[in-house]
Each structure stands twice: as structure tokens, then as C-alpha cells.
Amino acid sequence: MVNTQATQARRELDAVYEVGKTLATSLDVAKTFREALNYLLHAFDWRRAFVVLADASNSRLLGLCAVGLSPDEQLRLAFMPGEGVVGRVFASSVQALVPDVHTEPLFLNRTGGADQTPGTAVAMLATPIRADRRTVGVLAVDCLNPGESRVFADDLRVLKMAATLMGQALLLQRSVSAGHAAMQDEVRRMHKALKTSHQIEHVVGVSAPMQEVFMQVHQVAPSRTTVLLRGESGTGKEVIARAIHGLSPRKGEAFVCVNCAALTESLLESELFGHEKGSFTGAQSQRKGRFELAHGGTLFLDEIGDISASFQAKLLRVLQERQFERVGGSTPVKVDVRLILATNRNLERMVQAGEFRADLYYRINVVSIQLPPLRERREDIPAMAQHFLDRFNRENGSTRRFNPAALRVLSSCYWPGNVRELENCVERTATMAQDEVISDLAFPCQGNRCLTQVLHHIDREDAVRPGRLASIPITEVPGAPPRAPAEEPATAQAEPWPPDAAPAAVGAAGEAPEHDASDGKPEGEHDRLVWAMERCGWVQAKAARLLKISPRQMGYALRKYGIEVRKF
């Protein structure tokens, strides 16, 4: 008796092990369930077996897999909850044992199991399959029961353990499927976002201001409308001009650039309109100007705000008539040219001062695109720095890379020279770096060797105050834009004002100029702090002495009003 029980226990343990191992081989539950049923039938002398699962609405039970049933019989595996033995087991979540299906009124004989052995009793065992605390299906088997003398307690126990393992396998499969579906939805969403977002080749820009620029570029490019690009020096106006040309129907024609600030008035006239032979000393042959060379294409006039008043009149006539005469000639030359102009000057102020013709201003300011300075799109700095470093590595056969601390230094700088200055800084630092990994200590600004503070006049009239730093994604992944969240610099964190540094202590009356409060800042105090920091080159200790407060009080004051300390 003891040996018999031990043998039965060992057989059940082997069955559980084999079923579990089979179910773990794949997420294809129809395949693994069928293999598990095959093993159970051979191990326990069962005749047929099948698994039915509830549909999404729990309104029907449909066959998933079966062993011992023909394809036609498997197609008939469909039950309503509460219908027949299988439906009752599903609805009640309780095992069922039918000693002889021939005498059971609830047995539907839907697959013809009772017809195969008319003279022999056929027992049916069914157990619910549960997952996540609810019944999701039914596992059923049948076997011959000669004389109805077989005891099925052990079979029901094995069947229950197998159904439990199947429920866990179903739960895992559905969890993975849900995760996969969510991932597919996210991929589709990203593809849709990429299709609707406006990207420009060779231009890095994921920030909202640059996305706005990209949208305007895509919108204006198909037309022949004159475009005026505005923004500080180094913001990439020529790159955007080339992008407009590349997205226009004229992309197969010439793109001609002229820097108006680099030429005198006489040279600029000859450069743009060309000249006839003998028109001046040294004119030994006829020469076509840039307008003619750009015929059918695009002419980009950079620094348009620096041309003289007399040349403004000549340019206005060309823009109106779309024709001109070469220097020293009298024959009109007609051209089909799209104009893109750029300036970093305040043209409206120049018009008010009489330095720029109002009629020319209205002629060129048809569509105006404002390019944001780099400090207003700090989210783009890590990716742009990586782009410049990748180009340096390709050109020099090196494998240098930034660490997160280095990217934080780049993301915190004021960058008065914008993209051009960032590119220069990356190349200089990569050239002089001692190690393959560029750290924060490799930058000149960390050792007071940066000349930006000397070159940039922070007290000029058009200087822009820095805004608060946003959280910029920074990660140490070579050759890829950073994605891990970065810590916000300490200067952008608000701390309570200490008792010994009350707002009234910041500066004495008459020591700093009073300005109107801006951006909701308290009137007077915020502007005194900015004035003192600008006067002292953004050195906190010097500014504190100017305001006759301690450096500690100065630090708290800067944090209180959210003033970002410019780093050079």
C-alpha cells in the first residue's frame, strides 16, 4: 500500500514537472497546451482531452486545442456558459466528475465521444482553468470506466494541478501580448508623430522653438515668397536658408550666397549685378553677377541690414522690377530668382532711425522667421554637441565622447555666440582633451581660460537675460542623443530667504538703477541683482561687494528670484 502511494505520488510529481516544463517552452499556448495534453493522456491512460477558453466578452467557450479529436470534432467545441457539463464547470468554477456520460443528462455529446464505445462506460473529468482570480476556460478529459469501478480522486488532483499551470501560462501569455500590443501602439504613434513633425536634414532640433521654425520652413518652402530670416549671429540662418531651398521646387537649381557686410558698396553692386567689359579699371571682360548666376534658383543675401542707403534704393528697384542692368551697361537683364535674406539687426529700430528704407523693409519682410538663440533651446544642446563631436571623430579618426558632467557644463552655458560658439568649443575641447572621455574639467571655462566673457558685451542694449534652465536629458551614450533626465543646476533651485538676508538688504537706494519689474519679479530687487551681476561680469563675490551684502546673502538672493548665473 505504501509503495503504491509512493508510486502514485512520484507519477503525479513527474506529470507536474513535465507539464510545467512544456508550458514554459513557448508563448504559443495552443501548441504547448496540446503537447501537455499528449503527455497527460499517455501517463494516465486518458482517452481524449481538450481545452476551451472564454472569448473576450465571456459569452462563449471556444476550443483552443484537443488531443484524440478529429478536426471536424474540434470545430464543434463551442459552449455557452452554463451549457452542459463544460459550461457548468466554467460558470461555477468547480470541478466535475461524470462516471458515465451515457447516463448523464447534462452531457451534450457534442463531439460524439459517447458514440464510440456504446457498451462501455465513459467517464468525463472537467476542471476550471483560472488566471488572475477568475475562470478563463475549462480543461476536460474522458477515459474508459469499465464497470464504473475506477476511483478518479488522483486523476482529478493531477487535472487540477495541470489546469493551474495552464492558467499561469495563459496569464503570462496575455501579459506579454498586452505589452507587445502597447509597444506596437507606441511605435505606430511615434511613426505618426515623425510623419507629422517637421524635421530638416542636417539640422538638430527637438525643442519646441525649433519645431516651430521647422514648421514654418516646410510651410513657406514650396512657394516663391521672399523670406526674411532673423536672429542673433550664429543661430544658423544660412543652414535654414539652404533647407528652404532644398525643400522648394527650385532645389535642382543654384543656391547662391552673398554676405552683404563683407563687401563695399561698389564691390557689392558688381558682385550682385555683374559688370560689362571696361566699365571700370580692371574689368577686362563681361562678368555675370550673383542674380544671374542664381537664375531659376535661390539667392541668399546675408546681413542685409548692413547695406548702405544708396544701395538699398538699387536693391529695391531690382526686387520690384525683377530686372537690372549690369555695372557699365544699359541693357535690362530679367531674372527669375527667389530671395532669402537674413539679418541680426533690429530693422524696425533702423527704420525709425532713418537708417533703413521703410519701402525696402516692407518689400523684404514678407515672411519673417525668427531663429531662437541657443540659450532658449537648451534641450538641443546635448544632441548638437554630440553631432559636432561625431563629426570631429570622423575627420580625425578618434573616438572621443562626453560624460554626463561635460554635457551639463555645455547645457548650462549662456552661449552668446550660439551654435557657432558651441561648435568651436566642442572642437577646441576635443582637440586638447587628454583622455578619450571628455569630462567637465576639460573645458576652458573650468579654469578661467574662456574668452567669451571678454568678447561678449553683456551690457549692450540688445543683450537678452538668461531664462531658468529646464531639465535637459543627459546620458552617456556615445553617438546618440542623450535621454536620461539631468539634475537642474543649483542656481535654478528656489530656496527660502535666510533671516539675515532680507530683500531690503540687497543694495542701498541710489546704488543701482531702478527698472520696471519684468516677468512678475518684485519691482527693483530683481533688477538690482541683474544690474550688479552684469557690472561685475557675473561674479557673485564682486556683485555682493557692490551691493554691500555678503556672498552668502547674494547667493540666496539669486536663488530667490530665479536668476540664472551666466557661465563663461
Side-chain angles (χ1 to χ4, degrees):
M1 180 68 176
V2 175
N3 290 336
T4 304
Q5 292 178 347
T7 302
Q8 177 65 24
R10 188 179 302 109
R11 187 169 66 156
E12 292 178 3
L13 182 62
D14 290 341
V16 171
Y17 170 74
E18 290 296 334
V19 170
K21 184 175 69 173
T22 301
L23 296 178
T25 57
S26 172
L27 288 175
D28 184 356
V29 291
K31 174 176 175 292
T32 56
F33 281 21
R34 187 181 303 108
E35 293 176 356
L37 293 181
N38 259 319
Y39 174 81
L40 292 174
L41 260 62
H42 289 293
F44 293 93
D45 298 325
W46 296 337
R47 188 179 65 156
R48 305 193 310 171
F50 62 83
V51 173
V52 292
L53 297 179
D55 60 9
S57 61
N58 276 354
S59 59
R60 293 188 68 193
L61 299 172
L62 301 176
L64 173 68
C65 62
V67 176
L69 275 67
S70 67
D72 289 339
E73 292 172 341
Q74 292 186 41
L75 292 177
R76 296 197 291 271
L77 287 174
F79 305 91
M80 302 292 289
E83 181 185 24
V85 175
V86 175
R88 288 287 184 92
V89 170
F90 176 80
S92 64
S93 296
V94 177
Q95 284 184 307
L97 168 62
V98 179
D100 187 1
V101 297
H102 298 97
T103 60
E104 175 58 54
L106 291 177
F107 183 71
L108 302 177
N109 197 27
R110 191 152 288 173
T111 61
D115 301 334
Q116 296 179 358
T117 54
T120 305
V122 178
M124 180 179 181
L125 294 78
T127 189
I129 299 175
R130 294 178 60 81
D132 198 20
R133 299 183 180 180
R134 63 189 183 91
T135 303
V136 296
V138 175
L139 166 61
V141 301
D142 64 41
C143 57
L144 297 179
N145 187 16
E148 301 184 38
S149 58
R150 182 172 175 179
V151 178
F152 292 101
D154 295 336
D155 300 83
L156 285 173
R157 184 167 56 251
V158 172
L159 204 65
K160 183 176 182 180
M161 289 188 289
T164 301
L165 293 175
M166 288 180 175
Q168 293 300 316
L170 275 173
L171 185 62
L172 176 62
Q173 187 264 347
R174 291 180 178 181
S175 298
V176 173
S177 298
H180 181 72
M183 184 177 66
Q184 292 294 330
D185 291 341
E186 180 66 14
V187 169
R188 284 191 290 270
R189 186 193 67 78
M190 291 178 64
H191 277 292
K192 183 177 179 181
L194 287 174
K195 290 180 180 179
T196 56
S197 67
H198 302 284
Q199 297 296 326
I200 295 179
E201 190 176 3
H202 305 307
V203 181
V204 178
V206 297
S207 60
M210 285 307 294
Q211 286 297 313
E212 178 69 19
V213 170
F214 293 166
M215 183 195 69
Q216 294 174 350
V217 167
H218 278 270
Q219 190 168 356
V220 76
S223 66
R224 59 170 296 169
T225 304
T226 300
V227 179
L228 177 62
L229 302 177
R230 312 188 67 170
E232 297 179 8
S233 179
T235 51
K237 294 186 284 294
E238 183 175 344
V239 176
I240 297 299
R242 290 185 181 274
I244 295 174
H245 173 74
L247 294 170
S248 72
R250 300 169 178 258
K251 62 182 178 181
E253 303 297 332
F255 177 82
V256 180
C257 301
V258 178
N259 189 335
C260 299
L263 302 170
T264 63
E265 181 179 343
S266 57
L267 288 177
L268 183 59
E269 184 176 2
S270 174
E271 189 72 22
L272 288 179
F273 306 141
H275 59 258
E276 299 289 352
K277 179 180 179 180
S279 57
F280 53 84
T281 303
Q284 300 178 357
S285 62
Q286 185 190 75
R287 181 178 182 275
K288 290 184 177 181
R290 299 298 180 94
F291 268 98
E292 287 183 82
L293 295 176
H295 179 68
T298 303
L299 178 62
F300 175 56
L301 299 181
D302 198 6
E303 307 295 352
I304 192 64
D306 293 335
I307 61 177
S308 64
S310 59
F311 192 78
Q312 291 176 25
K314 297 175 183 178
L315 182 61
L316 176 62
R317 180 176 178 274
V318 175
L319 298 182
Q320 290 176 335
E321 305 296 333
R322 296 287 174 176
Q323 66 179 25
F324 58 90
E325 294 88 24
R326 299 188 187 97
V327 176
S330 58
T331 304
V333 179
K334 289 186 174 291
V335 290
D336 175 20
V337 173
R338 183 191 189 161
L339 275 178
I340 301 178
L341 309 100
T343 183
N344 61 359
R345 306 282 297 274
N346 189 326
L347 295 183
E348 291 78 12
R349 189 177 298 169
M350 293 178 67
V351 170
Q352 290 179 350
E355 299 172 358
F356 200 86
R357 294 178 63 103
D359 46 5
L360 178 60
Y361 168 80
Y362 293 122
R363 177 63 64 179
I364 66 175
N365 193 28
V366 181
V367 174
S368 179
I369 298 179
Q370 182 74 36
L371 302 188
L374 193 55
R375 60 183 170 273
E376 293 182 6
R377 55 185 188 106
R378 296 181 185 272
E379 300 93 329
D380 298 332
I381 292 178
M384 295 178 69
Q386 186 63 53
H387 171 75
F388 295 138
L389 184 61
D390 290 342
R391 186 174 66 187
F392 175 87
N393 287 335
R394 287 193 302 269
E395 294 175 352
N396 296 276
S398 62
T399 57
R400 302 197 189 284
R401 58 189 177 90
F402 294 117
N403 68 7
L407 292 176
R408 289 191 186 96
V409 170
L410 293 176
S411 301
S412 302
C413 186
Y414 186 65
W415 298 120
N418 295 294
V419 180
R420 187 180 294 116
E421 184 186 357
L422 173 62
E423 180 181 6
N424 176 276
C425 179
V426 170
E427 183 174 357
R428 179 177 64 250
T429 305
T431 301
M432 302 305 295
Q434 302 294 327
D435 302 316
E436 289 297 306
V437 178
I438 300 176
S439 67
D440 55 334
L441 300 178
F443 293 105
C445 60
Q446 301 301 297
N448 278 335
R449 292 179 286 111
C450 183
L451 296 178
T452 297
Q453 184 176 5
V454 177
L455 297 176
H456 179 58
H457 302 287
I458 58 176
D459 57 345
R460 65 185 183 186
E461 190 174 353
D462 61 341
V464 181
R465 293 175 183 169
R468 292 174 65 94
L469 286 177
S471 294
I472 301 170
I474 293 174
T475 186
E476 190 177 1
V477 179
R483 298 190 180 188
E487 297 178 1
E488 190 171 354
T491 54
Q493 298 174 354
E495 292 189 11
W497 193 284
D500 60 340
V506 183
E511 293 180 352
E514 293 288 345
H515 302 287
D516 293 334
S518 60
D519 302 327
K521 306 292 184 183
E523 183 176 357
E525 302 302 333
H526 172 273
D527 293 316
R528 281 196 199 94
L529 292 169
V530 173
W531 170 83
M533 292 293 287
E534 289 180 347
R535 287 287 301 272
C536 298
W538 291 87
V539 178
Q540 293 188 41
K542 292 182 180 179
R545 287 195 296 270
L546 179 63
L547 294 176
K548 298 181 180 180
I549 60 177
S550 69
R552 177 172 173 269
Q553 291 173 329
M554 189 69 186
Y556 275 110
L558 294 174
R559 295 187 186 96
K560 175 180 174 64
Y561 292 110
I563 299 174
E564 177 192 345
V565 178
R566 302 178 186 175
K567 297 181 180 180
F568 299 97

